[in-house]
Amino acid sequence: KVELSGRVAVIGGGLVGTETAEYLLQHGCEVAIVEMLDKIAAGESETILPLIMSDFAEHGVEQHVKTRLTAITDEGVEAVRTTEDGAEEPVKIACDYVVMAVGSKANAFDLEGVTVPVTCVGDCSGERTADIASAIRTAYHAANEPVGCQPVRGLQAQQAPPFLFCSGGWQCAVIMRSKDVYCLADYSK
């Protein structure tokens, strides 16, 4: 187990990088975030983002946006920042540790040979990865479509059409032809 302390460069300012930076701040580290896009936590909700940015400002988090990592050295990280006029300028960030939080990719399932209708949800859907709200919404609609618009409690398995819900990120699958059908709306039987 590695205990991080001192100055940490987080490479990637998406949701995972942002949460990692918050964790490191809570454990007393100084943090610098390097993000290729023009905004840190671009996928975060507009209600939470101001709180994160306020916390980052309070703790002096360096935010290097429009900045691409080019090297990790013994002294820290080297990067290139794209300026407003499109020019590139070198950036050096001294640090004791580097954390890579550079995104995720879809976790595709091989559905060859599956004979029941399938709804892929979450990271295996081919849509945006790491979007839990979308995954829950898709699973909810798919689960409730065959039995009407309202969640049904205590529905017997033989009354439900076969469905397989997959989420690559969570590594879970709920087969709706089991002993009981679980309602995805309130996670109850």
Side-chain angles (χ1 to χ4, degrees):
K1 182 177 179 181
V2 176
E3 294 291 330
L4 298 181
S5 61
R7 188 162 165 78
V8 181
V10 177
I11 311 304
L15 298 179
V16 172
T18 302
E19 289 177 9
T20 301
E22 289 178 307
Y23 174 84
L24 293 168
L25 288 174
Q26 291 171 0
H27 288 82
C29 296
E30 295 177 43
V31 178
I33 301 173
V34 178
E35 170 58 47
M36 289 179 59
L37 300 177
D38 60 353
K39 182 179 179 183
I40 300 291
E44 187 59 76
S45 75
E46 293 302 317
T47 56
I48 302 297
L49 188 59
L51 299 172
I52 293 170
M53 291 300 126
S54 174
D55 192 41
F56 283 179
E58 181 181 327
H59 290 92
V61 174
E62 293 178 23
Q63 299 180 41
H64 300 275
V65 295
K66 296 183 182 178
T67 305
R68 178 177 41 85
L69 177 71
T70 56
I72 298 174
T73 68
D74 290 339
E75 291 80 35
V77 298
E78 295 177 2
V80 175
R81 177 183 300 120
T82 304
T83 62
E84 294 300 320
D85 63 1
E88 291 187 341
E89 60 185 24
V91 176
K92 289 190 178 192
I93 303 165
C95 62
D96 302 305
Y97 296 93
V98 177
V99 175
M100 301 299 287
V102 291
S104 59
K105 65 178 185 172
N107 187 7
F109 283 89
D110 180 7
L111 299 174
E112 187 176 324
V114 175
T115 59
V116 296
V118 173
T119 300
C120 291
V121 175
D123 291 346
C124 70
S125 70
E127 298 172 14
R128 260 184 68 196
T129 59
D131 186 353
I132 192 167
S134 173
I136 291 170
R137 208 171 23 258
T138 304
Y140 174 84
H141 289 299
N144 288 294
E145 187 175 297
V147 293
C149 294
Q150 297 300 313
V152 176
R153 296 173 74 100
L155 180 67
Q156 297 301 308
Q158 62 271 21
Q159 295 172 289
F163 269 87
L164 172 65
F165 299 98
C166 306
S167 174
W170 301 321
Q171 297 297 319
C172 70
V174 177
I175 302 175
M176 294 194 61
R177 278 258 173 128
S178 60
K179 182 177 158 207
D180 292 308
V181 175
Y182 288 82
C183 171
L184 294 178
D186 62 8
Y187 302 97
S188 62
K189 275 188 178 180

